[in-house]
Amino acid sequence: MQKFIIKSNLKDIACFAKMIPVRAAKFRTAPSTPLPTSYAVNETAKLLHPRVQKLRVKSIEEISQDVKSYVLEAAEKKAPAYFRAGQYISLKLKIGDSVLTRPYSIASPPADALKGTYTITVKRVSDGFASGYILDNFTVGTEVTASAPEGTFYYEPLRDAPAVVCLAGGSGITPFLSLAGAVADGTEDCELIIIYGCRTENDILHKDKLDTLSAKCPKIKVVYVLSDSCAEGCEQGFITAELIKKYAPAVYSVFVCGPAAMYAFEKEELKKLNLPEKYIRFETQSGEAPATGETKTFECSVYARDIKKRVIPCRNDESILTALERAGIEAQSMCRGGECGFCRSKLISGEVFVPEENDGRRIADLKFGYIHPCRTYPQGNIEIRI
Ligand code: FES
């Protein structure tokens, strides 16, 4: 065995030795024209993954008193970056003294980005900070900074089954509306069964669009499930394992997007279906962790390149990221769900709580004391470097 390795290495060295004169000849005979200042592959990468995008509200559709859809177009000459159906953009907002971000799934199909627009749907969240601000302040022409499309909640034929059962709750329908649009126009190739749970028929968002897509494309089926009322053509109750089995084909992936209570319920229901783990996908949740026990306020000492030391209040029922934003400290963030790592910060000292289901840290980060403040909650006074 040892002899074999030595022989192999000698062979490699001989190969390299032969290359030297070949390369030297190429240098001697190469034209002396200057190298290009840009390369097509780099330009394509920049278009697909811009650091930020300046967008402008092109039009607004009022869906209900507390829900609006915003069509966003590029505010600069560049077209908005292309995306995979299911991805989100993170809007950067300045509200009062706070600079914060909010991720919104893109509801329009990727083909719309090629025509110059994204559509997002914003639903007012009770006690919400950003949703109310957007709904009350965004008008046609409002400009906003957004991230490039991000996230991994998209259909991938190498990993997912040829049929996808999409379980949606409330405004969690938006990534599936995008996916349905992509299936209908041929961008994605899979069978879609969208099972959409709402309290009443009035709470169903984008019903006309969903019905139009399913009528147009035989690969798309939409089932409405109402928990608090009955309506003709709708299922009544919750999205149970039984209901999923009723509409699912033999082999399928399940994608879930909706409120936190729905996630807890569906996790239990999906266990009954014994699906391979790779066929179950939950969209990252960006809300706060539910408050447990008594609310307490601690001190968080913050250090950053431009902050020598600043002590801010930090509650145990709000993420450290929210505390930073509330204090007017501009912290990096994107998904707000513990997944992307964009907010990664060093925990210098103190005890924190990280919900297991939102702990997207790498092993090295766990070992060396890094946290994702968007999903980390103080348990006492802490010190962090952002
Ligand atoms: S913003 Fe994505 S992990 Fe914190």
Side-chain angles (χ1 to χ4, degrees):
M1 183 70 179
Q2 209 175 5
K3 199 175 167 192
F4 171 77
I5 291 167
I6 291 166
K7 267 191 175 176
S8 170
N9 285 345
L10 286 174
K11 201 173 151 196
D12 287 347
I13 291 166
C15 280
F16 277 117
K18 272 190 211 160
M19 272 188 214
I20 293 168
V22 174
R23 286 189 174 178
K26 285 231 188 276
F27 278 121
R28 272 197 307 276
T29 56
S32 58
T33 46
L35 290 171
T37 50
S38 76
Y39 293 88
V41 66
N42 292 346
E43 294 310 310
T44 306
K46 273 190 227 161
L47 281 177
L48 288 173
H49 308 287
R51 269 183 67 79
V52 292
Q53 308 190 84
K54 300 265 185 229
L55 303 175
R56 181 193 305 121
V57 177
K58 184 181 181 194
S59 62
I60 301 172
E61 181 190 359
E62 188 145 348
I63 293 178
S64 72
Q65 200 187 346
D66 283 328
V67 186
K68 289 180 189 171
S69 274
Y70 297 87
V71 177
L72 306 170
E73 62 181 356
E76 299 169 319
K77 280 197 183 133
K78 281 185 280 180
Y82 192 65
F83 65 99
R84 300 284 302 267
Q87 289 192 301
Y88 66 87
I89 49 171
S90 180
L91 303 188
K92 189 172 182 181
L93 305 166
K94 172 125 178 65
I95 306 177
D97 290 334
S98 301
V99 179
L100 50 99
T101 61
R102 282 296 180 274
Y104 288 98
S105 291
I106 304 171
S108 46
D112 280 15
L114 298 176
K115 294 180 210 150
T117 62
Y118 301 136
T119 302
I120 59 166
T121 297
V122 180
K123 184 177 180 182
R124 194 180 299 272
V125 180
S126 57
D127 299 335
F129 193 37
S131 62
Y133 174 83
I134 293 172
L135 290 167
D136 298 338
N137 291 281
F138 274 28
T139 55
V140 172
T142 298
E143 293 196 0
V144 62
T145 301
S147 70
E150 295 288 340
T152 56
F153 192 65
Y154 50 76
Y155 179 70
E156 177 47 69
L158 288 174
R159 174 199 54 213
D160 304 316
V164 180
V165 176
C166 307
L167 310 185
S171 56
I173 191 64
T174 47
F176 302 134
L177 180 61
S178 176
L179 184 54
V183 169
D185 69 21
T187 305
E188 297 287 1
D189 185 15
C190 62
E191 186 188 345
L192 274 194
I193 303 100
I194 299 174
I195 306 182
Y196 184 14
C198 289
R199 291 221 312 264
T200 68
E201 214 178 358
N202 286 341
D203 296 315
I204 298 173
L205 302 179
H206 300 299
K207 187 169 188 304
D208 50 344
K209 294 187 187 79
L210 291 164
D211 290 345
T212 303
L213 287 166
S214 65
K216 176 178 151 192
C217 178
K219 290 180 179 172
I220 302 167
K221 179 170 182 58
V222 185
V223 179
Y224 301 104
V225 187
L226 307 179
S227 61
D228 293 9
S229 65
C230 297
E232 201 188 326
C234 299
E235 294 279 356
Q236 214 267 319
F238 293 100
I239 306 175
T240 59
E242 278 306 306
L243 193 79
I244 296 169
K245 267 199 270 182
K246 180 174 168 183
Y247 290 101
V251 180
Y252 58 98
S253 286
V254 174
F255 286 19
V256 188
C257 186
M262 178 190 179
Y263 277 30
F265 181 81
E266 295 306 339
K267 272 181 187 158
E268 292 308 309
E269 292 304 303
L270 291 174
K271 280 182 196 165
K272 299 173 193 170
L273 297 171
N274 290 321
L275 295 170
E277 209 172 311
K278 68 169 183 168
Y279 283 169
I280 299 179
R281 316 275 318 284
F282 282 83
E283 170 62 314
T284 306
Q285 285 217 302
S286 61
E288 293 290 349
T292 49
E294 191 192 339
T295 301
K296 292 180 188 160
T297 302
F298 302 110
E299 282 186 351
C300 174
S301 301
V302 185
Y303 304 86
R305 193 176 298 170
D306 55 346
I307 302 173
K308 203 167 170 207
K309 177 177 178 177
R310 177 140 170 232
V311 181
I312 62 167
C314 196
R315 283 173 15 202
N316 60 345
D317 63 344
E318 274 189 348
S319 69
I320 297 170
L321 177 63
T322 301
L324 293 167
E325 290 171 343
R326 203 181 281 288
I329 295 173
E330 194 171 336
Q332 301 260 42
S333 64
M334 191 100 73
C335 72
R336 305 184 77 91
E339 185 193 74
C340 72
F342 211 65
C343 63
R344 178 177 174 271
S345 301
K346 173 86 177 163
L347 178 68
I348 300 167
S349 71
E351 286 284 310
V352 292
F353 166 67
V354 180
E356 201 184 324
E357 65 275 20
N358 301 117
D359 196 350
R361 288 175 292 173
R362 297 175 300 180
I363 293 169
D365 284 349
L366 288 169
K367 188 172 172 192
F368 295 110
Y370 283 88
I371 55 170
H372 292 171
C374 65
R375 279 297 188 174
T376 304
Y377 304 83
Q379 301 294 289
N381 293 339
I382 57 171
E383 287 185 292
I384 62 167
R385 177 171 294 284
I386 60 172

